[in-house]
Amino acid sequence: MAETCTRKLIVEVCNARNLMPKDGQGTASAFATVDFDGQRRRTKTKLRDLNPEWDEKLEFLVHDTDSMAAETLEISLYNDKKTGKRSTFLGKVRITGSAFIKSGGETLVYYLLEKRSVFSQIKGELGLKVYYIDEDPPTPLAEQKPEEKAPETEENKPTEEAKPEEEKKEEEKKEEPKTESNKEAKKEEEKPSPPPQEENPKKPDKAAPPVEVENLPLAESEKKPSKEEKEKAEIVKRSEVTIGDLELWSLSSDRGRSVYDLVDRMRFLYVRVVKAKTGNNESKSPVYAKLMIGTHSIKTKSQSDKDWDKVFAFDKEGLNSTSLEVSVWTEEKKENEEATQECSLGTVSFDLQEVPKRVPPDSPLAPQWYALESENSAGNEVMLAVWIGTQADEAFQEAWQSDSGGFLSETRAKVYLSPKLWYLRLTVIQTQDLHLGSGPEAKARNPELYVKAQLGAQLFKTGRTSVGSTSASSANPTWNEDLVFVAAEPFEPFLTMTVEDVTNGQSVGHAKIHVASIERRTDDRAKLKSRWFHLVGDETKPYTGRIHVRVCLEGGYHVLDEAAHVTSDVRAAAKQLAKAPIGLLEVGIRGATNLLPVKTKDGTRGTTDAYVVAKYGPKWVRTRTILDRFNPRWNEQYTWDVYDPCTVLTIGVFDNGRYKHDEAVGKQSKDVRVGKVRIRLSTLDTNRVYLNQYSLMVLLPSGAKKMGEIEIAVRFSCSSWLSLIQAYTSPMLPRMHYVKPLGPTQQDILRHTAMRLVTARLTRSEPPLGQEVVQFMLDSDTHMWSMRRSKANWFRVVGCLTRVATLARWTEGIRTWVHPPTSILMHVLLEAVVLFPHLVLPTIFMYAFLILAFKFRYRQRVPLNMDSRLSYVDMVGLDELDEEFDGFPTTRSQDVVRIRYDRLRALAGRAQTLLGDFASNGERLQALWNWRDPRATGIFVVFCLVASLVFYVVPFKMFVLGFGFYHLRHPRFRDDMPSVPVSFFRRLPSFSDQIL
């Protein structure tokens, strides 16, 4: 009997860095425990070392290779209690099974140590190598002959009575330390730093030990367990359920749920047409099947083999007949005639009231042979199955829906995935042995060289470097510049580097790097090896020098492919840095109402063929297109894994103009925007269903227009509140964005490059997701100038400063005694603050707590949508909208461009004046210290001397109290003129009088 290969998971615990001291003496004696699939391993203890190095390889048996992706590997670090006061927690690392890689591609990855709770004091990193290997199964012990046992000597041969007693004693010795440690774990559960056993609170104290004992050497742990040990290990595996396992199981159970609980159940009539059989088997004429229900009719493709195996779905509510007719037709071509003649092979009818109903998880209905009734021929049969189901049926995804036009691939529901993106970093170091030519011309000129690198359509250049007047072939210019590209899987074949001479405009030579062979790194501390490549010229110059570069694929970055304010994914590109999801996002796209006509049909009436696109992370979903309806009902439900709560779900509605509509007069080559909805997950309560209607607004050159409403149900499920809260305390982007950041301009260029790559890949899918659809969903035009957006952002700033202005007016009212009781109360409050300063911060935070607690009941309970007032679309002119829709470069006339330029100059003039006033105030402060005005600075020097003597004598509390009373004095004791400090400050000089 053939046996399948066994899979082992290898975990190499290499080292740790910058651990938190836990033994009270500024050090820590760390050891690591590794748990996977009910198995546990333990490393040795490194005494008094905050940067321990273990370099130990631990092996785990993978019981189920299919479910390995749902398992979690957990590595916990502890301070050994034998060398300290108690076993304390140093941090943990959790790696999902989907991040495991096969042997051969493993690299050393440093993981940040996670906290067990919000109040844990954890820092440092843990270096690991995690991979799996597939091995052939070992020879079973049962196949060995009994006489092949090793001979026993007198020294190692125990007696029959003593042998079981010795084994019992050994087992008791192994169980005693674990039982004692479990008892100590219970005692220390109330302490802030519990022992390792607290990671598994549901584990029984006297549970049987796992098969792989922690303290055994690696060679002993690899022994094949017996049948009884396997049963014990299975019991322990079921009992040792950690919190992380519960999270993954709950998420996987939610993931596998097929119940459409966020949408309405729609009843469909399913017809699976498998194949036909005719009495004349020798006929090779094309045959097709035709389905007809009242006025609804769909036919299969004509095929000679009579084998279709297609599923059709008819909306039950839209049917206008109670019978289904399935007929088979043949297309015969007579001699000397080009036209084909259709001939019926028979018909079979079904009464829809007698069609059986199927509800998953029932097994699919088996197709049966049905005789075709025909007057001209006999013996014809068709194999089909007819049943009534809902959109939860497994056949719904592969069925050709009647409301989507039948055999139209452009109208079917599809799921797309964005390509996996990487940053490719090319460091150009230097070149050597360049052949720059010979002769007097080469000696006379001063060559200026630069390196041009190209990956697909991306092209970047280094700066220019002058080689000098030497014309020898040993010119060695140096750059040390980084060129960063965006690479999408599957990668482009080659990265081409070319050295060019600016003086003569010719290429010195080029070299190619195979992208698939480029090294990948996940950490900035990984040392990359530089490489030399030979430069090749034309056919007459096989060698023109060599170039020294360093190239790698950066897996520690997240490649931004959408606008930063609506990002939906912040994970790093490398699979080794993947984290477990913290929740599940479920979206039910129910339907739309009151859609406006977008195009004309039959040249007279308007129509809309609407579909919905939803994007979150790299996953795009597209519903089926419902033709010629202003109130379509999709009732489709989709799910996404959530890795960060501060992300945005984007939903767009479009009119399908890419399919071939036979009856359409005007065919459209592009899909038309109908509207867009954004929902930020952080504004949603967990495990709650939001069912709302959102307005669909679209911005046109004629202004904003409401195109209808869409009904959406959203639920954000989270299985662990602790993981959700920890997500708010972690950085938004991966570590490489902070330790080796990219510049703002470079980041903007790379973002738009990534957008173009994603757009190009999705437009090549089948059916394609149009370029206009992808760009609309990704907001690819946010960097373009828009007067409307500028005004909207200005009023957003004004809105933020409104509360500050309100506070300033309130303070001015107190100072001018507009409301005398309030002013008197502020005098009392000032005395309390000065006399009891230690109560200031507690009072402020308590006041903030009470205000926020009071406003909790008035919080926003419905996710917000696009705001036309905030977008400033109702108060914008047509010329400003036309400017926003104008491309780059402009296509408008010179007069229009001149008018817009003058308007922009006027706006920039006001901004210029504002910047000048701000700079003048800063320069006045500098002039006070630089003696630009000797008299003003001399007055300030005398003031500083007097102030130092006064503050030496007068207590600071008395000064604050006196200044507060003076500032809040009654208007009767005030002067209408500006104060002395303000007048003095405004007289200080600035550099504004020195500007031309």
Side-chain angles (χ1 to χ4, degrees):
M1 182 175 180
E3 296 183 1
T4 59
C5 61
T6 59
R7 176 170 293 182
K8 290 185 178 181
L9 178 66
I10 309 299
V11 181
E12 295 187 18
V13 184
C14 299
N15 56 8
R17 296 178 176 179
N18 302 325
L19 296 180
M20 178 69 72
K22 292 288 185 178
D23 60 353
Q25 301 178 4
T27 60
S29 301
F31 69 91
T33 61
V34 187
D35 295 278
F36 176 76
D37 198 9
Q39 308 167 58
R40 171 170 289 186
R41 300 286 189 276
R42 183 187 185 277
T43 65
K44 297 179 181 179
T45 301
K46 295 297 180 178
L47 300 177
R48 302 183 182 280
D49 191 356
L50 295 179
N51 300 286
E53 294 186 3
W54 293 282
D55 292 328
E56 297 187 23
K57 183 185 294 185
L58 308 178
E59 294 189 4
F60 298 87
L61 181 63
V62 180
H63 297 94
D64 188 359
T65 57
D66 296 333
S67 62
M68 185 182 70
E71 298 290 343
T72 300
L73 175 68
E74 184 169 327
I75 304 97
S76 302
L77 295 184
Y78 297 94
N79 177 50
D80 198 340
K81 65 179 181 180
K82 296 180 181 179
T83 58
K85 297 181 179 179
R86 60 176 183 273
S87 292
T88 50
F89 182 68
L90 295 177
K92 66 178 181 179
V93 173
R94 296 182 62 190
I95 307 174
T96 58
S98 59
F100 299 161
I101 60 176
K102 196 170 183 179
S103 176
E106 67 274 7
T107 57
L108 178 61
V109 181
Y110 285 91
Y111 298 89
L112 291 176
L113 293 175
E114 300 178 2
K115 298 180 180 181
R116 182 163 48 191
S117 64
V118 180
F119 304 101
S120 300
Q121 295 182 355
I122 301 299
K123 72 173 185 177
E125 298 172 328
L126 180 62
L128 300 171
K129 290 183 181 180
V130 182
Y131 55 94
Y132 64 88
I133 57 175
D134 295 327
E135 296 180 346
D136 295 332
T139 305
L141 297 177
E143 296 180 1
Q144 298 180 3
K145 295 182 180 180
E147 49 270 20
E148 292 181 358
K149 296 181 180 178
E152 296 180 349
T153 62
E154 294 295 333
E155 297 177 358
N156 60 8
K157 182 177 179 181
T159 61
E160 294 297 326
E161 294 83 10
K163 186 174 181 178
E165 293 179 359
E166 292 175 359
E167 292 178 354
K168 291 181 180 178
K169 290 180 180 180
E170 291 178 359
E171 292 178 357
E172 290 176 358
K173 289 180 180 179
K174 293 177 182 178
E175 292 179 357
E176 281 178 3
K178 291 192 174 185
T179 307
E180 294 176 0
S181 61
N182 289 335
K183 290 180 180 179
E184 293 176 0
K186 283 190 172 182
K187 293 179 180 179
E188 296 183 357
E189 283 181 354
E190 300 177 356
K191 298 181 180 181
S193 299
Q197 282 76 8
E198 203 227 359
E199 287 291 303
N200 191 2
K202 293 188 178 181
K203 180 178 178 181
D205 291 344
K206 296 184 179 180
V211 177
E212 291 77 15
V213 183
E214 298 174 10
N215 299 324
L216 288 180
L218 184 60
E220 296 183 11
S221 63
E222 291 180 348
K223 293 181 180 180
K224 186 170 182 179
S226 63
K227 184 176 180 180
E228 295 179 359
E229 291 175 334
K230 286 183 178 180
E231 294 176 357
K232 292 181 180 180
E234 195 67 21
I235 295 174
V236 173
K237 179 183 175 182
R238 293 182 187 135
S239 61
E240 293 185 357
V241 180
T242 62
I243 298 177
D245 295 329
L246 291 176
E247 294 174 10
L248 290 176
W249 290 351
S250 61
L251 289 179
S252 62
S253 62
D254 291 341
R255 186 74 163 176
R257 179 171 54 194
S258 61
V259 179
Y260 279 49
D261 57 343
L262 297 182
V263 295
D264 296 333
R265 292 294 184 91
M266 297 182 65
R267 299 178 65 191
F268 287 90
L269 174 65
Y270 290 94
V271 182
R272 178 183 290 274
V273 184
V274 183
K275 56 185 176 179
K277 182 171 61 176
T278 61
N280 185 11
N281 296 327
E282 298 179 357
S283 177
K284 300 297 182 180
S285 301
V287 178
Y288 68 89
K290 185 176 182 181
L291 286 69
M292 182 175 293
I293 307 176
T295 58
H296 299 273
S297 63
I298 297 179
K299 66 177 184 179
T300 64
K301 295 181 179 180
S302 299
Q303 296 181 182
S304 301
D305 54 2
K306 311 178 187 64
D307 192 353
W308 303 287
D309 196 12
K310 299 294 183 182
V311 181
F312 300 91
F314 296 87
D315 188 0
K316 194 72 168 53
E317 296 181 358
L319 300 180
N320 52 9
S321 178
T322 59
S323 63
L324 165 67
E325 293 184 0
V326 181
S327 58
V328 180
W329 298 73
T330 180
E331 297 179 351
E332 297 181 356
K333 186 176 182 181
K334 295 184 178 181
E335 298 181 359
N336 301 327
E337 292 185 7
E338 295 182 359
T340 58
Q341 182 179 2
E342 297 182 351
C343 179
S344 175
L345 299 180
T347 305
V348 59
S349 300
F350 296 88
D351 188 357
L352 298 185
Q353 297 180 356
E354 298 179 359
V355 173
K357 297 180 181 180
R358 177 180 177 268
V359 178
D362 294 347
S363 299
L365 195 64
Q368 299 180 7
W369 286 103
Y370 293 90
L372 297 175
E373 299 178 0
S374 176
E375 297 179 356
N376 301 329
S377 59
N380 300 329
E381 294 180 330
V382 61
M383 177 181 284
L384 53 85
V386 183
W387 73 94
I388 293 177
T390 63
Q391 70 268 40
D393 200 296
E394 294 86 350
F396 179 76
Q397 298 299 331
E398 61 174 323
W400 298 87
Q401 285 84 9
S402 61
D403 54 3
S404 298
F407 276 103
L408 295 174
S409 60
E410 293 84 1
T411 61
R412 303 193 68 182
K414 288 291 181 180
V415 176
Y416 304 85
L417 287 177
S418 297
K420 190 174 183 180
L421 302 177
W422 297 71
Y423 283 145
L424 190 151
R425 186 186 298 272
L426 173 66
T427 304
V428 182
I429 303 175
Q430 67 174 353
T431 56
Q432 288 184 359
D433 303 333
L434 294 181
H435 296 178
L436 302 177
S438 59
E441 296 182 358
K443 295 180 179 180
R445 64 186 177 88
N446 186 10
E448 289 187 4
L449 304 178
Y450 69 89
V451 178
K452 178 179 68 176
Q454 184 171 3
L455 178 66
Q458 306 175 59
L459 191 146
F460 293 100
K461 301 177 182 179
T462 64
R464 298 180 181 181
T465 299
S466 179
V467 179
S469 61
T470 60
S471 61
S473 60
S474 61
N476 303 323
T478 302
W479 287 275
N480 287 321
E481 294 186 23
D482 286 348
L483 303 178
V484 182
F485 302 81
V486 179
E489 295 183 358
F491 299 121
E492 296 285 344
F494 295 101
L495 171 66
T496 305
M497 301 175 296
T498 306
V499 180
E500 295 192 357
D501 188 355
V502 181
T503 56
N504 58 6
Q506 296 181 359
S507 172
V508 179
H510 69 274
K512 292 184 177 181
I513 304 177
H514 194 244
V515 179
S517 63
I518 295 177
E519 182 181 359
R520 306 182 184 188
R521 73 170 182 176
T522 59
D523 201 304
D524 63 307
R525 288 163 296 206
K527 295 182 179 180
L528 297 176
K529 297 180 180 179
S530 59
R531 302 166 64 182
W532 288 93
F533 293 91
H534 287 180
L535 296 174
V536 180
D538 53 14
E539 296 180 355
T540 61
K541 299 178 180 179
Y543 177 78
T544 59
R546 60 176 186 166
I547 185 170
H548 189 201
V549 298
R550 187 182 299 112
V551 60
C552 69
L553 288 168
E554 297 282 8
Y557 289 94
H558 168 69
V559 182
L560 295 172
D561 59 348
E562 51 194 344
H565 61 281
V566 292
T567 183
S568 60
D569 188 15
V570 293
R571 291 177 294 168
K575 186 179 179 181
Q576 295 89 336
L577 301 179
K579 295 183 179 180
I582 63 173
L584 193 71
L585 174 64
E586 300 170 90
V587 179
I589 304 173
R590 299 170 65 87
T593 56
N594 303 323
L595 294 181
L596 297 182
V598 177
K599 54 191 175 184
T600 59
K601 183 179 181 181
D602 300 331
T604 56
R605 65 183 184 88
T607 183
T608 299
D609 306 324
Y611 69 92
V612 180
V613 176
K615 180 194 180 300
Y616 183 79
K619 180 180 176 182
W620 302 62
V621 298
R622 170 179 175 167
T623 66
R624 68 188 189 279
T625 302
I626 298 182
L627 304 180
D628 196 15
R629 291 189 187 179
F630 297 122
N631 298 287
R633 304 298 297 177
W634 293 283
N635 284 312
E636 299 182 19
Q637 185 170 335
Y638 300 93
T639 59
W640 287 268
D641 287 328
V642 178
Y643 296 88
D644 194 296
C646 301
T647 46
V648 178
L649 166 70
T650 305
I651 300 175
V653 183
F654 302 88
D655 174 78
N656 196 331
R658 293 182 176 272
Y659 76 98
K660 295 181 180 180
H661 203 298
D662 297 335
E663 300 177 0
V665 176
K667 295 184 179 180
Q668 297 183 359
S669 59
K670 292 185 178 181
D671 296 343
V672 180
R673 306 173 180 178
V674 177
K676 181 164 57 177
V677 176
R678 294 197 193 102
I679 300 176
R680 185 169 291 274
L681 268 61
S682 58
T683 61
L684 304 178
D685 293 339
T686 56
N687 304 319
R688 175 185 172 186
V689 177
Y690 291 86
L691 178 59
N692 299 289
Q693 284 192 342
Y694 301 89
S695 298
L696 296 174
M697 300 289 295
V698 63
L699 189 63
L700 303 174
S702 58
K705 188 176 182 180
K706 182 179 179 181
M707 303 296 293
E709 295 179 342
I710 184 173
E711 185 179 1
I712 298 174
V714 181
R715 177 171 56 208
F716 175 36
S717 304
C718 181
S719 58
S720 173
W721 266 93
L722 182 61
S723 301
L724 186 62
I725 298 301
Q726 286 181 347
Y728 279 88
T729 61
S730 61
M732 189 72 180
L733 294 172
R735 179 177 178 273
M736 286 289 288
H737 286 270
Y738 304 100
V739 298
K740 199 169 185 179
L742 302 172
T745 304
Q746 185 181 26
Q747 184 70 71
D748 192 57
I749 295 174
L750 294 175
R751 181 191 297 114
H752 289 95
T753 303
M755 288 181 180
R756 289 193 293 269
L757 286 176
V758 173
T759 303
R761 292 294 177 89
L762 293 180
T763 52
R764 294 170 57 188
S765 304
E766 186 59 38
L769 202 59
Q771 178 181 358
E772 64 281 359
V773 175
V774 180
Q775 291 179 352
F776 183 62
M777 297 290 290
L778 295 179
D779 284 343
S780 60
D781 58 346
T782 53
H783 65 290
M784 301 296 294
W785 162 256
S786 170
M787 181 67 73
R788 177 188 60 85
R789 289 200 187 100
S790 300
K791 291 181 179 180
N793 292 334
W794 168 254
F795 284 105
R796 287 171 59 194
V797 174
V798 172
C800 295
L801 298 178
T802 300
R803 296 187 179 275
V804 179
T806 303
L807 180 61
R809 287 194 298 268
W810 180 73
T811 306
E812 183 66 19
I814 293 175
R815 194 175 71 91
T816 55
W817 290 68
V818 174
H819 191 250
T822 306
S823 300
I824 296 174
L825 181 62
M826 289 303 298
H827 282 76
V828 177
L829 182 62
L830 177 63
E831 294 179 1
V833 168
V834 173
L835 298 179
F836 305 99
H838 61 280
L839 297 179
V840 175
L841 291 179
T843 304
I844 292 176
F845 285 110
M846 179 56 68
Y847 183 63
F849 168 76
L850 294 176
I851 291 178
L852 294 176
F854 176 75
K855 289 186 175 182
F856 177 75
R857 59 184 300 182
Y858 302 106
R859 70 188 187 279
Q860 184 69 36
R861 299 180 183 273
V862 179
L864 298 178
N865 190 19
M866 302 286 187
D867 192 343
S868 59
R869 185 188 60 82
L870 186 63
S871 303
Y872 211 76
V873 297
D874 297 332
M875 296 174 286
V876 64
L878 295 180
D879 184 64
E880 295 177 353
L881 284 175
D882 183 71
E883 181 184 11
E884 183 174 348
F885 281 91
D886 189 13
F888 188 84
T890 181
T891 58
R892 302 299 185 263
S893 62
Q894 294 183 359
D895 295 336
V896 174
V897 174
R898 186 181 297 109
I899 293 173
R900 294 173 180 174
Y901 177 67
D902 293 340
R903 182 178 60 199
L904 183 61
R905 288 175 60 191
L907 180 64
R910 292 194 293 268
Q912 172 183 300
T913 304
L914 182 63
L915 290 176
D917 294 340
F918 183 78
S920 297
N921 292 329
E923 291 167 355
R924 289 189 179 101
L925 287 176
Q926 294 179 355
L928 193 62
W929 297 88
N930 294 336
W931 292 87
R932 288 190 59 207
D933 188 345
R935 286 173 293 276
T937 307
I939 294 173
F940 183 66
V941 168
V942 174
F943 171 78
C944 292
L945 178 61
V946 174
S948 64
L949 298 176
V950 171
F951 283 114
Y952 182 77
V953 177
V954 179
F956 183 72
K957 290 184 179 181
M958 298 302 297
F959 167 76
V960 173
L961 194 61
F963 178 79
F965 284 160
Y966 176 78
H967 184 71
L968 298 176
R969 66 190 184 276
H970 196 272
R972 181 179 300 176
F973 306 102
R974 294 180 183 275
D975 191 4
D976 296 335
M977 302 301 291
S979 62
V980 174
V982 173
S983 301
F984 180 79
F985 179 78
R986 289 179 179 176
R987 290 178 177 276
L988 295 175
S990 66
F991 292 117
S992 58
D993 53 349
Q994 300 180 15
I995 296 179
L996 294 176

